[in-house]
Amino acid sequence: MPADTVSVTGWGRTAPSAARLIRPRTYEEAVAAVRDCGVRGGIPRGLGRAYGDAAQNAGGAVWDMTGLDRIHVIDAAGGTVLCDAGVSLHRLMEVLLPLGWFVPVTPGTRYVTVGGAIGADIHGKNHHVSGSFARHVLSFELLTADGTIRTVGHGTPLFDATAGGMGLTGVILTATVRLQPVETSLMAVDTERATDLDDLMSRLTGTDHRYRYSVAWIDLLARGTATGRAVLTRGDHAPLDALPPRARREPLAFRPSQLPPAPAFLPNGLLSRTTVGLFNELWYRGAPRARTGELQKLPAFFHPLDGVPHWNRVYGRDGFVQYQFVVGYGHEDALRRIVRRISAHRCPSFLAVLKRFGEADPGWLSFPRPGWTLALDIPAALPGLGAFLDALDEEVVTAGGRVYLAKDSRLRPDLLTAMYPRVDDFRALRAELDPRGLFVSDLSRRLAL
């Protein structure tokens, strides 16, 4: 297989590293790629939407798995699909929606692969109801360090180590996933404004159980009595009888639209405190105080940024850091302190969302646990960002919380065990399964995984 040495980076476009990029197109080529990866090892990679360094491997191999992209079996009666790990959620939606099925969990982009969804154990707006992606995976085939392809069933130690394991237990080749039935490709959406963080948390706690999907955009530049003001958006798949007559002609149509891509070169500083503050003010004031039952297309509700290809370029050449943490219920004071600190630091974040997590998922390194999760983007060139985020990490750890490894690019390794209590079990299983340390990434080296 041809291999090109290229500069590889995460979606945040920080800390690039050079690696040999290999694109297997068959299972046999994948086995050969693993066996011949060299002394610096290798790591599987999907569509590159992990924000940090999880799918990078300086000086080694990176296996681009998007060439394995076949959908093998769709059980339209039972609601399952068997597909290659390189199939994207976008492709699954194109194929499955006309049959009345939807992916069980989707993050803020549909351009992630099934293998990446398992490796990061992605979550979406429905975690409080449906859990993370791996909860809906019945089994997968895993190529391990000895060249063996193993069928891994739900509930086994290898399954739980791989779900959220960031590709470090092996290369996922195929997966069988349980699907969500839908009658239409539209969403019935309720929108409301919250005046501050306490108002937002009260609304979420009191009424989230009524909705399958729930998310709040939060203004992290607002201060004083408006600290934590937000626009709350919740909904569910619209039933057929909620559609107007014209829409019922093609109730399961899926035709995402796209704007022109962001320019390849944009200057740093485009997203400053001034520009983001103006955007946040307009977005908050432009949202309805209360609106119910609005019909929205799936892409608008789940993946608005996918409509702008390469939107990550707007942060300029220095890129951005995506920071996401969770703190448990009962630690609302910690969440308040963190939001106030972010506001006082004047972090120019226009992509900041707050959600509630439900029951914890079984993956040893899975991120979700019951509690509040806040995700925000911050320009990497912001002065003092490293020290500021280190201080937030300490707040999170003190509250018994954790940060999301799929978005991390700078966590100190000494905090990992406190955040992920089963990390030693993960290391022990890796040592047994991969004694030569064949599967390795920039993230695994940085955090001694």
Side-chain angles (χ1 to χ4, degrees):
M1 282 174 294
D4 297 320
T5 298
V6 299
S7 179
V8 182
T9 186
W11 193 245
R13 305 174 75 202
T14 59
S17 60
R20 291 182 297 113
L21 189 66
I22 303 168
R23 195 172 192 242
R25 294 182 178 275
T26 66
Y27 303 149
E28 292 77 15
E29 288 185 354
V31 172
V34 167
R35 287 176 172 167
D36 300 334
C37 66
V39 296
R40 291 287 288 181
I43 193 71
R45 180 181 176 93
L47 286 166
R49 290 313 198 268
Y51 286 84
D53 54 3
Q56 300 174 209
N57 181 24
V62 171
W63 305 303
D64 178 346
M65 300 305 296
T66 57
L68 291 171
D69 59 356
R70 291 169 295 173
I71 298 176
H72 296 281
V73 180
I74 299 172
D75 181 353
T80 61
V81 61
L82 168 62
C83 64
D84 285 346
V87 173
S88 70
L89 299 192
H90 173 83
R91 180 60 180 153
L92 286 182
M93 292 176 195
E94 286 184 322
V95 173
L96 296 172
L97 271 168
L99 303 176
W101 297 99
F102 189 62
V103 295
V105 172
T106 177
T109 175
R110 59 186 179 274
Y111 295 112
V112 296
T113 62
V114 169
I118 298 169
D121 201 12
I122 60 171
H123 56 272
K125 300 175 182 179
N126 60 339
H127 190 276
H128 64 295
V129 172
S130 302
S132 64
F133 191 87
R135 190 180 298 186
H136 306 271
V137 175
L138 303 179
S139 64
F140 53 78
E141 288 184 307
L142 186 71
L143 170 59
T144 51
D146 59 1
T148 301
I149 297 176
R150 310 181 186 211
T151 299
V152 182
H154 196 102
T156 62
L158 186 52
F159 187 104
D160 292 344
T162 303
M166 307 310 297
L168 296 170
T169 61
V171 180
I172 299 171
L173 298 177
T174 70
T176 301
V177 182
R178 185 186 300 112
L179 304 169
Q180 169 69 35
V182 295
E183 293 183 16
T184 75
S185 59
L186 294 174
M187 302 295 296
V189 180
D190 294 352
T191 305
E192 58 190 293
R193 290 195 314 209
T195 57
D196 58 27
L197 182 60
D198 284 339
D199 182 32
L200 174 61
M201 289 193 291
S202 177
R203 291 170 188 259
L204 287 166
T205 301
T207 57
D208 244 12
H209 62 279
R210 303 175 187 170
Y211 300 91
R212 180 178 298 275
Y213 303 99
S214 176
V215 66
W217 169 88
I218 184 169
D219 182 359
L220 292 176
L221 284 175
R223 292 186 287 183
T225 59
T227 299
R229 67 179 182 177
V231 178
L232 180 55
T233 308
R234 296 181 287 185
D236 206 338
H237 299 279
L240 184 61
D241 59 12
L243 271 57
R246 184 174 181 178
R248 293 184 196 181
R249 298 173 190 170
E250 293 184 283
L252 292 165
F254 181 64
R255 302 187 186 94
S257 59
Q258 281 195 340
L259 297 170
F265 300 101
L266 286 170
N268 290 328
L270 188 64
L271 297 180
S272 65
R273 288 163 176 153
T274 300
T275 58
V276 173
L278 178 60
F279 171 87
N280 287 2
E281 181 69 23
L282 293 174
W283 189 261
Y284 180 77
R285 297 296 177 187
R289 293 184 182 274
R291 180 175 60 199
T292 60
E294 180 192 14
L295 293 179
Q296 292 185 8
K297 294 181 179 180
L298 285 171
F301 182 78
F302 288 108
H303 316 119
L305 288 174
D306 283 346
V308 184
H310 304 293
W311 62 263
N312 56 338
R313 294 173 178 170
V314 302
Y315 292 87
R317 287 172 296 178
D318 289 336
F320 70 103
V321 172
Q322 176 87 182
Y323 185 73
Q324 183 169 6
F325 67 90
V326 58
V327 294
Y329 298 124
H331 292 276
E332 285 76 14
D333 281 345
L335 178 62
R336 293 184 184 99
R337 285 195 302 272
I338 292 171
V339 168
R340 285 196 296 267
R341 291 183 74 157
I342 295 171
S343 175
H345 198 73
R346 310 299 290 154
C347 290
S349 177
F350 78 99
L351 293 176
V353 295
L354 183 73
K355 298 193 293 272
R356 293 173 72 251
F357 279 159
E359 182 181 348
D361 298 293
W364 293 350
L365 297 185
S366 290
F367 169 65
R369 51 158 295 180
W372 302 94
T373 180
L374 177 65
L376 62 148
D377 63 298
I378 311 171
L382 187 71
L385 181 60
F388 176 69
L389 292 180
D390 283 347
L392 294 191
D393 288 342
E394 295 290 348
E395 287 263 17
V396 170
V397 167
T398 300
R402 59 180 62 141
V403 301
Y404 191 15
L405 297 183
K407 296 185 176 181
D408 176 58
S409 58
R410 27 72 48 207
L411 180 69
R412 298 201 322 265
D414 58 291
L415 297 180
L416 188 67
T417 301
M419 291 183 173
Y420 290 90
R422 300 213 59 178
V423 69
D424 286 339
D425 294 328
F426 180 81
R427 289 174 174 139
L429 184 142
R430 281 198 68 212
E432 178 183 346
L433 198 65
D434 182 12
R436 294 185 295 130
L438 188 151
F439 295 107
V440 65
S441 65
D442 291 355
L443 178 142
S444 73
R445 291 190 184 97
R446 177 168 56 84
L447 295 179
L449 279 171

